[in-house]
Amino acid sequence: MNVPTGLQPALMRKDLNVIGRLRGTLAEKQPPHLIIDINGLGYELEVPMTTLYRLPAVGQAVTLHTHLIVREDAHLLYGFHEKRERELFRELIRLNGVGPKLALALMSGLEVDELVRCVQAQDTSALVKVPGVGKKTAERLLVELKDRFKAWETVPSMFQLVPNGPTPLPTVSTAEADAVSALISLGYKPQEASRAVAAVDAKGLSSEELIRRSLKGMI
């Protein structure tokens, strides 16, 4: 990500999130990566699949809540459709052994409320299907999250997990390739990703809907 010169000294503090929201034009969408154009400056972000499903078509306006992680070799920007999703991401990456990649994988397979319910019920069944999460890891995550989630409430979904607006459908081959690539980026093995996508009737589906159905078949 290219960072404006004036922000560089501030970004040396790894705990300072100086980019909290972006509003611009969705310039590129290659799951799970996006580029948002703001006055000619392209911001590259990575998003969970649950945010991807809600994105408008390329070329349309979009607003995302963001979290910036600063490393010595990179500035990594993550985007979320809702503040609640960003707060969940922040809670997850505070846990021992959970980095941004695993946090995105967890959030891609489970909606916020689904994950909260798993924690409240101490149910590991969905978590162990996420790449990189074994039974012991799932049990540890649920225990660590239990106290953090006491104040969280599950709420009925106010939206459908489909892209906004009349998004033109890509060709099936492109949609399948995007879906497989997205699943691999979340940590699934290429063979697992290919099988999951092949198990879905891809005819007429957008990339986002194909990814959603493939993930639901795996989690």
Side-chain angles (χ1 to χ4, degrees), residues 44-61:
E44 184 175 341
L45 305 89
E46 190 166 348
V47 300
M49 296 300 110
T50 46
T51 288
L52 179 79
Y53 307 146
R54 304 179 178 101
L55 292 175
V58 170
Q60 294 187 6

Side-chain angles (χ1 to χ4, degrees), residues 7-85:
L7 294 179
Q8 289 175 354
L11 292 180
M12 296 306 292
R13 287 178 53 190
K14 296 186 178 183
D15 61 338
L16 182 61
N17 195 52
V18 296
I19 303 178
R21 185 181 69 176
L22 289 179
R23 178 183 297 165
T25 301
L26 183 59
E28 294 183 23
K29 181 166 54 175
Q30 184 64 42
H33 301 283
L34 314 175
I35 292 182
I36 296 180
D37 184 282
I38 303 176
N39 298 323
L41 180 63
Y43 288 81
E44 184 175 341
L45 305 89
E46 190 166 348
V47 300
M49 296 300 110
T50 46
T51 288
L52 179 79
Y53 307 146
R54 304 179 178 101
L55 292 175
V58 170
Q60 294 187 6
V62 65
T63 299
L64 290 177
H65 302 282
T66 58
H67 181 85
L68 177 67
I69 292 180
V70 179
R71 302 191 323 210
E72 292 183 0
D73 59 343
H75 299 147
L76 306 174
L77 194 59
Y78 299 88
F80 307 91
H81 183 261
E82 298 179 335
K83 285 185 178 180
R84 200 162 181 258
E85 291 180 320

Side-chain angles (χ1 to χ4, degrees), residues 112-139:
V112 174
D113 294 329
E114 290 175 329
L115 182 54
V116 172
R117 282 192 287 268
C118 284
V119 172
Q120 291 173 340
Q122 293 293 286
D123 181 7
T124 63
S125 59
L127 270 63
V128 295
K129 297 178 182 178
V130 175
V133 180
K135 185 173 176 53
K136 289 185 178 179
T137 299
E139 291 172 346

Side-chain angles (χ1 to χ4, degrees), residues 26-35 47-60 62 81 108-109 111 160-183 186 196-197 200-217:
L26 183 59
E28 294 183 23
K29 181 166 54 175
Q30 184 64 42
H33 301 283
L34 314 175
I35 292 182
V47 300
M49 296 300 110
T50 46
T51 288
L52 179 79
Y53 307 146
R54 304 179 178 101
L55 292 175
V58 170
Q60 294 187 6
V62 65
H81 183 261
S108 293
E111 286 287 329
Q160 293 182 334
L161 293 183
V162 296
N164 296 324
T167 305
L169 295 180
T171 63
V172 172
S173 60
T174 300
E176 291 176 344
D178 286 348
V180 171
S181 176
L183 294 179
L186 293 175
V197 172
V200 177
D201 182 3
K203 186 177 181 180
L205 295 181
S206 65
S207 299
E208 291 88 345
E209 181 63 13
L210 183 53
I211 292 168
R212 185 183 74 83
R213 294 190 185 187
S214 299
L215 270 172
K216 285 301 181 183

